[in-house]
Structures are given as C-alpha cells and as structure tokens.
Amino acid sequence: MKITCSNQSQFKDHEITDETVFNQRRKLLKQMGFLGAGSLLSSPSQANILDLFSSDKPQNKPAAVMQNLSFIKDKAARDELTPEAKVTSYNNFYEFGTSKTDPAQNAHALTLNPWNLSINGLCHKPFELGYEDLFNKYALEERIYRMRCVEAWSMVIPWIGIPLATLLKQADPKSNAQYVAFETLKRPEEMIGQQSRLVGGGINYPYVEGLTIEEAMHPLTLIAVGLYDKALPAQNGAPVRLVVPWKYGFKSIKSIVNIKLVDKEPPTTWNLSAPSEYGFYANVNPAVSHPRWSQAQERRITQGGLFSQQYIKTLPFNGYGKEVAHLYKGMDLTKYF
Ligand SMILES: Nc1nc2c(c(=O)[nH]1)N[C@H]1C(S)=C(S)[C@@H](COP(=O)(O)O)O[C@H]1N2
Ligand SMILES: [Mo]
C-alpha cells in the first residue's frame, strides 16, 4: 500500500476536545493508572483513535484531575500509528547504549520513582515536581505526533502529556528569559552509557537540550509522561520527556530533571558533539541535507511485521509548518539549521 504525503495541518482549534472525547479519554487514563486505578489498557493500537469518537457512559470518576483534557487528532491518511511494540523497542537513548535495541534492554535499571523535576532559572516562581505530580497535578492531553529522527527514520506516536507552556506559565518567566535549557538525569550507576564513552556513544553527559522561549511556549510542545495510554516505558524517556514534533528527534530530550529559563542560547548535546552536523534549531527540513545523507525522505516504521517500513517524502517542519513556520520568519534556515 502506498502512503502519500500530506501538507495538511494537524493542529486546529476546532479539533480540541468535545465532551465525548473528554469522557472517553478520562476512561482510558483511569485504566492506564493515571487516575489511580491499577490496570493497563490492552493494546489500543489503531482502534483507539476511532474509539475516541464513540459514546461513553458517564462513570464515577475521581474528581478534578482531567478537567481540561483535550485531544488533538492527527488526521492525515499516511499517519497510521506506529505499533506500540516498535515504538518501545526501536529507540535512541544513548545513556543505555547506542544500538536501537539497547534502551529496551537496559533502561529497566532506571529508578523512576522517586523523581524530581525542577523548573527554575529566570522566573518569579520556581517549583519542583515529584513523580506523582507528573501524573496528577495537571490536565493530561493525548497528542498523536509524527516523530522524525535526524537519521531519517520516523514514527507516529500517541503521546500523553502536559503542554510545556503550562509549566512555564506556572513558573512565571521574567522578561529576560529568552531560552529554555533542559537536562537529563545523570546517574551512571543506573545508566550504563554514562559509565564508558564507548557504551555511551562518546557524548558528554548529562544530555542537554534547549529551545527558544517562543518554541517552548508553542502549544505543540509537549512534556510527555505517557504513550499508548500508559506511563512512558523507561526506554522512551520515563518518567518525563520533551516532545517537539517539528524538530529532529534529538531535541526531544528524555528523562528530564531540570528545566531552566535562561537569557542565552543554551548548549545542546549533539551540537557540542558535532557542530557542523547538528545545529541548535534542528527543524525538520528536507531541503537541508545532513553532511553525510539527504533529509529529503524518511523511512516510516509502519504497522505489519517486524521490518515493515515505507519510504516517504519528508515534509518541511515535519508537516507542522502551518503551525510553526512563523517562528522562523526571515531566518535563513540553511544557516540556522
Ligand atoms: N537523554 C536523551 N534523550 C534523547 C536521546 C538520548 O540519547 N538521550 N536520543 C534522542 C533521539 S536521537 C531521538 S530520535 C529520540 C528517540 O525517542 P524514542 O526512542 O522515544 O522514539 O530521543 C531523543 N532524546
Ligand atoms: Mo534521533
């Protein structure tokens, strides 16, 4: 079957939550344990998109938590969900090794609870979140996003999370906060890639990333705590990671412990490691080749057998240009790559 490209926008106000979706999502989130019940939803796969539009009986729900739950649906026909088994077994997370199967094998060593995420820097109200806070304190939203790795493979992943803007607004940024710096946990005793440069791919730890304040405040930018209706598996960056769908995957930093408002462009791991190959912006751009390969197309990991994949055209800003291109107006994107 041929998958065709689409330039349609996937982020439209009128697609955000109606009552039915709201109730259905609450049910899913309760089942996945985000609302306190223990049981996990069994393989939601493709069906869960359609389920969201079927009616749902009113249920006895624990109060408060899901009040402003919203749902943004990625509509394009090419954008079938990548099977959960592939999303959770084909990963980049160098703290646990450099081969795609290493993270799923090694990341279980990571202690997720207790966790401490600090939001600080140039703001009036710095604060900290513990493990439970990540799941209970904010309205959780589902976002189905394309994810495009700079290595030219891609997936479609149903995330659960909190808009980063929600956390930043709570911190109340000062007017000189121009950028946001992110930092992954450094805990070599649990992260084998941090024990040796060979295992860890020769990068320096902790892994760090950054966004401009405008990018960080953009409604598409998500702090994810789950995928496929479950808490994040460790290999996907548990318990809390960034998702910036119009940028190459390496911007979507995993297992975050610190989010800091700063006034200068912060250092970023892959830029530090190979500045001629990886820039600060890293917007998905089919017109700008990586020095060692073209970015014009990508290998979409699809439904089907273990090796199912489909070559498709890569879209500017990963197909989210309508929503984000204005952020880069007047910028030479071959220079700011
Ligand atoms: N801390 C940390 N975050 C990371 C990485 C990493 O090695 N360490 N790899 C990045 C890269 S290159 C990609 S493509 C995505 C992969 O996310 P996934 O495994 O959940 O698909 O995570 C990003 N976040
Ligand atoms: Mo990546």
Side-chain angles (χ1 to χ4, degrees):
M1 190 182 67
K2 185 142 192 300
I3 297 175
T4 51
C5 300
S6 161
N7 285 307
Q8 294 305 302
S9 153
Q10 274 77 49
F11 186 76
K12 298 200 189 85
D13 283 349
H14 68 261
E15 285 173 357
I16 297 175
T17 322
D18 62 22
E19 191 75 9
T20 305
V21 170
F22 170 70
N23 283 325
Q24 181 69 19
R25 296 306 305 159
R26 285 212 303 189
K27 182 174 150 213
L28 290 172
L29 291 164
K30 181 172 181 184
Q31 284 173 304
M32 66 203 267
F34 284 155
L35 293 185
S39 67
L40 298 178
L41 200 69
S42 62
S43 79
S45 80
Q46 195 65 357
N48 92 349
I49 294 185
L50 303 172
D51 286 346
L52 295 172
F53 296 98
S54 64
S55 62
D56 184 28
K57 283 189 225 119
Q59 295 189 19
N60 215 0
K61 305 274 178 14
V65 188
M66 294 295 115
Q67 229 126 63
N68 297 309
L69 188 69
S70 68
F71 173 67
I72 295 159
K73 188 173 173 295
D74 215 347
K75 260 194 192 145
R78 81 194 300 232
D79 288 342
E80 287 186 6
L81 295 183
T82 302
E84 180 181 3
K86 295 185 180 183
V87 173
T88 60
S89 63
Y90 187 92
N91 302 100
N92 274 334
F93 198 170
Y94 278 20
E95 284 85 339
F96 296 103
T98 57
S99 103
K100 294 286 179 287
T101 50
D102 284 343
Q105 258 171 41
N106 299 327
H108 59 83
L110 184 60
T111 304
L112 304 177
N113 187 6
W115 194 265
N116 188 74
L117 171 63
S118 298
I119 293 93
N120 53 37
L122 299 172
C123 60
H124 298 287
K125 297 173 191 156
F127 63 99
E128 304 197 343
L129 298 174
Y131 182 83
E132 300 289 342
D133 297 332
L134 297 171
F135 305 101
N136 296 324
K137 226 176 163 165
Y138 302 91
L140 299 178
E141 307 185 14
E142 177 166 75
R143 303 284 183 89
I144 299 175
Y145 286 157
R146 292 178 286 275
M147 221 252 323
R148 171 47 160 97
C149 177
V150 75
E151 298 162 338
W153 54 268
S154 66
M155 297 185 177
V156 179
I157 304 175
W159 302 103
I160 304 279
I162 307 156
L164 176 58
T166 302
L167 302 185
L168 296 179
K169 283 177 194 159
Q170 182 182 336
D172 192 7
K174 294 184 175 168
S175 57
N176 57 343
Q178 298 296 313
Y179 293 88
V180 182
F182 303 83
E183 194 175 302
T184 292
L185 179 74
K186 185 170 183 187
R187 191 185 285 159
E189 57 285 16
E190 293 182 357
M191 297 173 132
I192 58 163
Q194 294 180 345
Q195 295 169 13
S196 95
R197 291 187 70 77
L198 186 68
V199 179
I203 60 179
N204 290 325
Y205 295 103
Y207 193 102
V208 290
E209 258 303 336
L211 296 172
T212 67
I213 189 82
E214 291 80 16
E215 293 171 335
M217 295 295 284
H218 192 283
L220 282 174
T221 304
L222 193 69
I223 286 291
V225 297
L227 62 77
Y228 266 107
D229 301 314
K230 300 171 186 129
L232 285 177
Q235 59 269 32
N236 293 93
V240 57
R241 58 93 56 85
L242 182 67
V243 181
V244 196
W246 70 93
K247 292 178 178 286
Y248 290 120
F250 66 81
K251 298 296 287 183
S252 294
I253 182 174
K254 295 176 167 181
S255 305
I256 305 171
V257 291
N258 205 60
I259 299 177
K260 187 175 186 179
L261 290 143
V262 296
D263 58 0
K264 290 186 187 66
E265 185 182 291
T268 59
T269 287
W270 281 104
N271 179 252
L272 290 170
S273 173
S276 61
E277 302 194 350
Y278 309 102
F280 173 79
Y281 285 91
N283 293 314
V284 174
N285 191 345
V288 174
S289 297
H290 186 278
R292 290 180 280 130
W293 59 86
S294 164
Q295 296 290 24
Q297 53 167 23
E298 67 202 53
R299 188 169 53 85
R300 174 64 55 83
I301 315 286
T302 59
Q303 307 227 13
L306 195 54
F307 303 106
S308 300
Q309 55 181 47
Q310 174 84 45
Y311 284 90
I312 56 176
K313 265 196 329 193
T314 287
L315 303 177
F317 300 108
N318 205 21
Y320 300 97
K322 215 168 174 173
E323 292 78 17
V324 302
H326 69 274
L327 296 173
Y328 311 100
K329 227 178 143 191
M331 280 172 66
D332 178 355
L333 296 179
T334 63
K335 188 171 162 222
Y336 296 98
F337 62 91

